[in-house]
Amino acid sequence: MSGTTTAGVRLRKAADDANRWVVLVVLCLSLLVVALDATVLHVAVPSLTEDLRPSGTALLWIVDAYPLVCASLLILFGTLGDRIGRRRVLLIGYALFGLASVLAATADTSGVLITARALLGVGGAMIMPATLSILRQVFPDRRERALAIGVWTAVAAVGAATGPVVGGFLVEHFWWGSVFLVNIPLMAVILPLGRWLLPESRGGGDGPWDVLGALMAAAGVLGVVLGVKRLGGGAGLLDPAALGPLAFGLALLILFVRRQKRRRHPLIDVAMFARPAFSTAVGCIVLAMLALVGLQLIAVQYLQLVLGLTPLETGLRLLPLTFAAMAAGATGSYTLRRFGPRRMVGWGFVLTASSVLVLTAMGQHDRPALLTTAFVLLGFGLQTTLFGAYESMLSDAPPERAGGAAAIGETSYQLGAGLGIALLGSVMNAAYAPGLASLGDKGVPARAGAEASHSLGEAYQVAAQLGGPMGDLLRSTARHAFIDGLHITLCVSAGLLLLGALAALRLPKVMDCPPKEPCRRGEAEPAESADLAETAGTAGNAGTVRPAARNRRVPRPMVPARREPAEAAGSGRAAH
């Protein structure tokens, strides 16, 4: 029996011995922490800006350093977990996440806060790779897996959407740094739960770990995003400040792909992208997260700075998005069986684009009914899209590549979130600044106009310093420029979502799942046959399996009070 087969058998035994739904709860709690921290800071941006006074670029980095660092390091820590133990890396990630949260809460400069957010990204990269790969193995039946993915994606949406609510409450009653302290009690609960319930597991261990490849992927992702950020900040395409990082990042990613194709044991099997359903699903995840996180950041600024809502009121206004996402996750398994991946993902994108276009009717006056309707459509459409895309990606990937598929899916999730903030935030800044160009002709000092062009929050601060009619003029002009920029950004986002709807046409039309049978019989039968062969060999009949034994159902043992470490058990990520 090969090492890979033995690892697969032991992982299957671990999944059978444990209550897989309890394991799902632990995985969802892990994901909740990571998703919550991606958006909990959004409502604190105005308060943070007033206290730390970061530049426009520094403010963008404060917000998106976390998802970008996390996305860059997922492959590195995912493969490291296969080598030294996935639970060990997971627990280290919990501890680092807690310590970085304390550092962020006590930061007194924008530089310290950016560093703390980057460390939170490192911790998130240690936590995330376990979730999808374990889910793929613990739920081999596609129907149960679809239900589990529905819960998983709903938790992700709830974490991202309730972040502003939690953050708004904390900012209103304490100070902006308190939004990070919410991680501490979550870590206090999940750390012992993970240590108690999750088994230690490692990969097959065949072939060396490609450290250089992992570093190339991380540096390549960061270089590309940095170039995009600087382009959006007003740099020209041929400006070395933008062209340099962009070209460097793209070159590293191309070299990474070529390196993985040549290696006998690659970190990521890039051949999976040749499968239309897999590559399309990954692209849909990126587009969906790009829209969700980028639009949410802009919406928070609109609600607070234009409509004048408090942080808590802002969070409550976003609750309809959360409830709609939960409804989409709860009904996602039925929707997928009824309509199939293609129509589910495609119409999810169309619904999301429609909600974004509805939001273009926003102006300087509050329209609660319009916002609530748009947020409900937005939450339901995006959650439907994410559900169908994740399920298609995991089911299309070969079972032995489940770990690699999980790393790609989680990277695309975090990369989409980071690019959404960078791209839509940059589009917003580029559309906002020209609206203040005429201030100089109306008597506003050039220096004040330049500072106000960085962001609406800074414009309000400059207007307060000027005071009088000049300050009122600056405030009014900046507000109009922000709304004009918001409308342009929403149209760009709607266009990207409609491109996603067209791309979804490459997904399978129906959910391939025979009634009352595992959707992929090959996933279960080899492991069960190997398990029976191993049992027969132990009984003194090695190499022989009686025909009757093949159809015998082995009773499932009771859940142990404590999971024993399975040191040689295979991880969800196959050894390549």
Side-chain angles (χ1 to χ4, degrees):
M1 182 179 295
S2 66
T4 303
T5 303
T6 303
V9 171
R10 290 176 178 172
L11 180 60
R12 184 174 178 83
K13 282 183 176 180
D16 287 342
D17 290 345
N19 186 326
R20 56 189 180 279
W21 299 106
V22 174
V23 172
L24 178 62
V25 170
V26 177
L27 298 180
C28 287
L29 283 175
S30 303
L31 181 64
L32 179 64
V33 175
V34 176
L36 184 68
D37 217 67
T39 58
V40 72
L41 184 63
H42 290 179
V43 294
V45 167
S47 175
L48 181 155
T49 302
E50 183 178 354
D51 188 15
L52 299 183
R53 298 186 180 275
S55 65
T57 301
L59 182 60
L60 281 177
W61 275 112
I62 288 172
V63 176
D64 62 21
Y66 167 75
L68 294 182
V69 171
C70 185
S72 302
L73 298 178
L74 282 170
I75 294 175
L76 189 152
F77 286 118
T79 54
L80 178 64
D82 285 341
R83 299 290 172 170
I84 69 172
R86 300 179 69 207
R87 189 182 69 165
R88 181 178 301 174
V89 172
L90 187 68
L91 298 180
I92 294 174
Y94 290 157
L96 179 60
F97 210 87
L99 292 175
S101 298
V102 174
L103 178 62
T106 57
D108 55 357
T109 66
S110 58
V112 173
L113 185 55
I114 292 173
T115 301
R117 291 282 287 171
L119 290 176
L120 284 169
V122 176
M126 293 180 171
I127 294 170
M128 283 196 70
T131 57
L132 274 180
S133 55
I134 292 179
L135 186 150
R136 176 66 176 84
Q137 297 294 330
V138 170
F139 295 93
D141 180 80
R142 189 168 185 179
R143 291 179 196 80
E144 286 191 344
R145 184 165 65 245
L147 180 58
I149 292 175
V151 175
W152 188 89
T153 55
V155 168
V158 168
T162 56
V165 179
V166 176
F169 175 83
L170 293 173
V171 170
E172 188 165 323
H173 290 82
F174 302 98
W175 87 109
W176 63 263
S178 62
V179 301
F180 297 106
L181 295 182
V182 71
N183 297 328
I184 306 302
L186 289 175
M187 289 296 103
V189 171
I190 199 173
L191 186 58
L193 277 179
R195 186 175 182 274
W196 183 266
L197 294 173
L198 297 178
E200 183 65 281
S201 61
R202 294 184 175 88
D206 52 337
W209 181 45
D210 187 10
V211 181
L212 178 60
L215 295 177
M216 288 171 62
V221 170
L222 286 177
V224 168
V225 175
L226 180 59
V228 171
K229 283 171 59 65
R230 290 183 173 175
L231 285 174
L237 184 60
L238 299 180
D239 189 336
L243 183 61
L246 186 61
F248 180 72
L250 288 174
L252 279 180
L253 291 178
I254 292 172
L255 290 175
F256 171 76
V257 172
R258 295 180 62 182
R259 178 181 177 87
Q260 299 309 299
K261 288 182 177 179
R262 293 195 306 264
R263 291 184 65 85
R264 183 178 179 183
H265 304 286
L267 285 174
I268 295 296
D269 184 7
V270 295
M272 286 191 293
F273 284 96
R275 307 167 72 100
F278 183 87
S279 57
T280 301
V282 170
C284 290
I285 293 171
V286 173
L287 285 173
M289 288 307 301
L290 186 152
L292 174 63
V293 178
L295 288 176
Q296 198 168 48
L297 175 61
I298 296 172
V300 165
Q301 295 183 54
Y302 169 79
L303 293 173
Q304 290 193 52
L305 298 178
V306 176
L307 299 185
L309 301 182
T310 65
L312 180 58
E313 291 172 338
T314 299
L316 293 176
R317 283 292 186 93
L318 294 173
L319 275 181
L321 189 150
T322 305
F323 294 142
M326 293 172 63
T331 60
S333 181
Y334 168 80
T335 305
L336 185 63
R337 294 196 304 269
R338 178 68 177 83
F339 297 102
R342 181 186 302 176
R343 284 187 289 178
M344 183 177 186
V345 175
W347 284 109
F349 270 124
V350 171
L351 182 60
T352 306
S354 301
S355 69
V356 170
L357 292 177
V358 169
L359 288 173
T360 58
M362 294 187 303
Q364 296 196 46
H365 302 290
D366 192 4
R367 303 179 65 181
L370 173 72
L371 290 176
T372 300
T373 301
F375 286 155
V376 168
L377 296 176
L378 181 66
F380 195 91
L382 276 173
Q383 185 65 15
T384 298
T385 299
L386 283 172
F387 182 100
Y390 267 113
E391 204 283 334
S392 297
M393 181 197 70
L394 287 179
S395 296
D396 189 71
E400 65 274 11
R401 302 295 188 190
I408 292 171
E410 290 161 355
T411 301
S412 64
Y413 180 96
Q414 288 294 327
L415 183 60
L419 286 176
I421 296 170
L423 179 60
L424 295 186
S426 298
V427 170
M428 181 68 194
N429 290 340
Y432 163 76
L436 304 180
S438 62
L439 287 173
D441 300 333
K442 299 177 181 179
V444 176
R447 181 176 180 181
E451 292 178 356
S453 66
H454 294 157
S455 68
L456 184 59
E458 288 192 50
Y460 282 177
Q461 294 177 15
V462 174
Q465 293 173 0
L466 289 177
M470 203 68 68
D472 294 338
L473 174 64
L474 175 58
R475 177 183 293 270
S476 175
T477 303
R479 187 184 295 112
H480 279 92
F482 180 88
I483 293 175
D484 292 340
L486 174 62
H487 292 165
I488 293 174
T489 305
L490 291 172
C491 290
V492 170
S493 178
L496 293 173
L497 291 167
L498 291 177
L499 286 178
L502 292 176
L505 295 175
R506 302 180 68 208
L507 291 173
K509 189 174 182 179
V510 298
M511 180 182 179
D512 182 17
C513 191
K516 298 183 180 179
E517 290 290 334
C519 295
R520 296 178 183 266
R521 294 184 61 85
E523 295 176 10
E525 291 177 357
E528 291 174 358
S529 299
D531 195 5
L532 290 171
E534 185 177 337
T535 303
T538 304
N541 298 318
T544 303
V545 179
R546 290 190 295 273
R550 291 193 180 96
N551 297 322
R552 184 181 306 147
R553 188 171 184 85
V554 179
R556 179 175 297 177
M558 298 294 291
V559 179
R562 178 178 175 86
R563 300 291 305 274
E564 294 299 327
E567 294 296 334
S571 68
R573 185 172 287 102
H576 301 156

